[in-house]
Amino acid sequence: MPRTTRIWLYCLAFAGLLSAADVSAQESWAGETFLPMSSWYGDAAERLEILQGQFDDAVHLGQKPISRETLHRLVGPSDQEHRHYRRLLEHSPELSPHDVPESRKAILKYFYRTPADFYTVNKDGFELRINPIINVQAGQELDEGLVVHNSKGIDVRGFLGRRLNFHTYLTDNQTIYPKYLWDKFMRDGAIPYEGRYVTYLSSTLGDRSVVDYFSGGGYVSVQAMRQMNISFGHGRQFLGDGIRSLQLSDYANARLYLQLRTRVWKFQYQNLFTELIEQFDRGNDQLLKRKYMATHHLSIHARKWLNIGLFESVVFSREDGFDFAYLNPLILYRFIEHQLGSPDNVLVGLNAKALIAGHLSLYGQVVLDEFSFKKLRDEPGWWANKFGLQMGLRGEDVLLDGLHFQLEWNRLRPYTYTHNDIKINYTHYNQPLAHPLGANLQEYLLNVNYDLTRNLRIELRSALMWQGLDIDTLNFGSDIFLSNTSRVADDGNEILQGTESLTRYADVNLSYQFKHNCFVDLNATWRSQENMGNTNETLIIGAGIRVNAIRRRIVL
């Protein structure tokens, strides 16, 4: 049996032993399933926390995905009849069965017996919830032709007893991307959030190139003890409170992981052990080479209004699989790397969030790839001063009830996330693990949402993005898939060096929810990019319908 396989089996056995150790305990507690990221429910959790004006010791929203139990804790008794928060409870009836009545409009007595679920089973400690996934979007790109997304699939989640939970989903997808995204994806050999794909030319859709792919994920979650949840599966995580994450984002393809979350008093500590895919050239079927990542993040409610997070991650590659030394859940990875004599790729970071005046939160994030205070003082252009900064402000019910905004600034120095060995750059499946644009950039992002009625919402996503791009074969530090040994210079490096590109982006979406988690969308997207005196501009007008699906905006 390969060493990697043995390790994952040992980890699962460890989880099972922890769970079994407390079987005889007199006090019982429920397990956790997680909410989909980038969904309205995550935004609602952030909103509730800000409006409460102080942190709940058991709620740490900087580690995503968040659990349904977390969202349920945030919805207090006074909120349960609110027009929006009532729907949050309906989305997770397993946590509050007495607060969610059976639907009065059940179909054929068996379907939609609860408002949020197509089909449910609840028998003798076994609970199952099955829902269809449908996402059909169509639009017209100015001067290019049709833009289409067609997705259909199934979502299943459930419980075995009170402490073992599971979730899985699978969709079949066909997408015609806008030209600017198509060009980028074909150059990178990857599409955002997804893995393997095929392309073909559709004569019925105006000879547009169609991307065909499956999307899926799933996990098993065990509540090993009241303070610890262990999950094993295939999915994504996100660290931070921003629109982007400079530490770990959900932009890349789903990956195999083992996650431990331990919550004690004002602390929540997350360990994440992950199998990644090295960068590769697309071609014929091949077994893709693996690399590995170990990450830990400590979230601390230092004050009732202040949260601080500490982050460390290491990406490494071994011929015989995962390195046991990095399974230690507490020790610093930089120390292990030093003891092993191996130059693995270690990142450290800090994030913080402060609740202000009952309607605002101020947040920030720092990531350090390599860093020297002496070099920063004496030689600020030294290539290995690789770091990133984020600052953001989020407001809830500001000026108008139901008006939410988020303003964010990000800045990354050249060569951040890179390594001298391209196998252990901070990437997965030809995609960045943190910022989707890579490095050598600065940007401003603005998101605004306004709830016109209970079921009608208008959303604005906008961005100004500057990036210094490479010139021919010269590596100016934006492409994190290149080895940093090919850098243009050791000293004199600065943000936006190379060919400066400016991208302006705006997306407006009007969404009407006609049934629980069923939406009709009307939207418009405008993008303009200036590069080397040339301007490429596009406008897309579209509409669509979604059932149990999110509408992703790829802001690039």
Side-chain angles (χ1 to χ4, degrees), residues 232-276:
F232 176 76
H234 197 77
R236 305 177 186 86
Q237 289 77 24
F238 185 102
L239 293 177
D241 303 287
I243 302 169
R244 312 276 206 196
S245 174
L246 307 186
Q247 297 174 356
L248 180 64
S249 77
D250 60 344
Y251 177 78
N253 185 26
R255 49 259 182 188
L256 184 69
Y257 70 89
L258 174 71
Q259 175 184 281
L260 288 73
R261 279 186 182 170
T262 306
R263 186 170 61 238
V264 178
W265 190 38
K266 299 175 182 292
F267 303 90
Q268 181 163 293
Y269 186 55
Q270 175 174 289
N271 298 100
L272 187 63
F273 307 102
T274 311
E275 183 178 76
L276 306 175

Side-chain angles (χ1 to χ4, degrees), residues 27-46:
E27 186 178 15
S28 62
W29 54 88
E32 296 183 351
T33 57
F34 301 101
L35 291 163
M37 288 188 289
S38 305
S39 67
W40 181 78
Y41 304 102
D43 286 340
E46 297 277 1

Side-chain angles (χ1 to χ4, degrees), residues 207-235:
D207 291 327
R208 296 300 302 269
S209 295
V210 179
V211 180
D212 197 329
Y213 57 96
F214 285 106
S215 181
Y219 60 84
V220 175
S221 172
V222 176
Q223 198 68 24
M225 57 186 70
R226 177 177 291 278
Q227 297 86 357
M228 179 181 287
N229 176 268
I230 303 174
S231 59
F232 176 76
H234 197 77

Side-chain angles (χ1 to χ4, degrees), residues 53 61 92 203 329 371 393:
L61 300 183
S92 302
S203 58
F371 190 81
L393 180 68

